[in-house]
Amino acid sequence: PEKYLPDGTQRKTFAQLAREAYYWPRIIMQPIKRKGHVVTDVCTVDGKIERWTFTKTHDKQAYRDARKASWGDLFPHLPKTSIERSHFTPVEGPTPEELKKMNRKQRRSLMDFDD
């Protein structure tokens, strides 16, 4: 096989790609496909949940790959826009052992979202 891609950059070996893949984000929800753009939710290397947008005009290869991607895939491209999704961040709460010791009324009060 050729050592260079059509754009002049050097082709990477499988071992190089495997090492890089440790630092790629993972898609955590099925991509939302719209005309001209794709929206995906990813988990980044530092453990943050972000919503990434890929547009057809920004990067055609990234747009195509985002349309073909599915839940659980690693994704090597950088987005046009990214927004941190803070409501996915885990909150502190009682441990499973503490939940077992609580009665039904106490557990239900934890699920009261009207506060």
Side-chain angles (χ1 to χ4, degrees):
E2 295 182 27
K3 288 190 172 189
Y4 293 93
L5 297 172
D7 64 356
T9 58
Q10 189 171 6
R11 189 179 297 268
K12 295 183 180 180
T13 65
F14 179 77
Q16 289 171 324
L17 285 175
R19 269 182 261 128
E20 283 181 19
Y22 283 108
Y23 303 102
W24 291 346
R26 186 171 296 275
I27 297 175
I28 59 167
M29 292 180 71
Q30 198 66 23
I32 303 165
K33 301 170 189 175
R34 299 288 181 251
K35 186 176 180 182
H37 71 280
V38 179
V39 179
T40 61
D41 287 339
V42 299
C43 179
T44 61
V45 178
D46 25 328
K48 296 180 181 174
I49 305 297
E50 294 181 355
R51 178 161 277 186
W52 287 7
T53 302
F54 297 92
T55 61
K56 191 185 280 189
T57 57
H58 176 66
D59 184 355
K60 289 190 180 186
Q61 185 63 49
Y63 171 76
R64 182 192 175 281
D65 291 345
R67 287 189 66 82
K68 301 295 180 184
S70 66
W71 180 87
D73 289 347
L74 292 171
F75 203 75
H77 302 287
L78 294 175
K80 181 175 182 180
T81 60
S82 73
I83 301 168
E84 188 171 338
R85 306 285 306 270
S86 60
H87 65 277
F88 278 113
T89 308
V91 294
E92 294 296 322
T95 63
E97 292 80 25
E98 293 170 340
L99 282 173
K100 287 178 186 175
K101 292 177 184 176
M102 292 180 182
N103 63 33
R104 181 182 234 171
K105 197 171 192 176
Q106 290 171 324
R107 285 193 304 262
R108 285 197 177 171
S109 70
L110 292 174
M111 294 187 270
D112 189 15
F113 297 111
D114 295 333
D115 295 343

